[in-house]
Amino acid sequence: MKFFILIAIAVVGFAFTAQQKKAEAWKVPAEYKTMENPLANDKASVNTGKMVYMKHCRSCHGNAGLGDGPKAARLKTFPGDFSGADFQGQSDGEIMYKAIFGRDDMPNYETKIPSKKERWAVVNYMRTFKK
């Protein structure tokens, strides 16, 4: 009986994910496209970024940035895969802009993550998802 319940839960979860649409392309201001991360990509900044990511981002984007967090299936659009070449090919400024300012299902984090150091640390942590 438990097996059938697990199968039913998996099917329902898949059905929700299958209904999600791919997000439209972001319009990132030019100043962010060329903005460089002022933080060194070192162990300390990655650890800080991980702490912030786990608090604010994991629930939708998942532990490994695959867009499979516990809240992801409830979103209208797929939250994205941070491990792939499309995401990793973006500049640090583009990633920071999207992560902080948000749009649509992606909330604005300007007040939740007011520290510029923590914002850039999240970018450094997200770079660790690269395949």
Side-chain angles (χ1 to χ4, degrees), residues 7 50 56 61 88 99 111-113:
I7 296 293
K50 181 178 182 179
H56 296 290
H61 296 288
Q88 293 290 332
T111 57
K112 291 182 182 180
I113 309 173

Side-chain angles (χ1 to χ4, degrees), residues 22-23 26 78 80-92 94-95 98 127 130-131:
K22 184 178 178 185
W26 285 72
F78 176 65
D81 178 353
F82 301 154
S83 68
D86 287 343
F87 179 84
Q88 293 290 332
Q90 298 177 83
S91 72
D92 285 354
E94 288 174 295
I95 294 170
K98 294 173 184 181
R127 292 290 188 199
K130 185 176 181 178
K131 286 182 183 175

Side-chain angles (χ1 to χ4, degrees), residues 50-65:
K50 181 178 182 179
M51 178 188 69
V52 175
Y53 178 93
M54 290 300 174
K55 179 178 180 181
H56 296 290
C57 314
R58 184 199 66 79
S59 61
C60 294
H61 296 288
N63 289 330

Side-chain angles (χ1 to χ4, degrees), residues 29-55:
E31 66 189 90
Y32 288 92
K33 290 181 179 183
T34 58
M35 193 176 286
E36 292 186 22
N37 189 335
L39 282 185
N41 190 351
D42 59 17
K43 187 175 181 178
S45 72
V46 169
N47 286 339
T48 298
K50 181 178 182 179
M51 178 188 69
V52 175
Y53 178 93
M54 290 300 174
K55 179 178 180 181

Side-chain angles (χ1 to χ4, degrees), residues 88-109:
Q88 293 290 332
Q90 298 177 83
S91 72
D92 285 354
E94 288 174 295
I95 294 170
M96 195 277 293
Y97 177 85
K98 294 173 184 181
I100 300 306
F101 296 104
R103 64 153 201 206
D104 302 329
D105 284 338
M106 177 65 194
N108 180 295
Y109 281 93

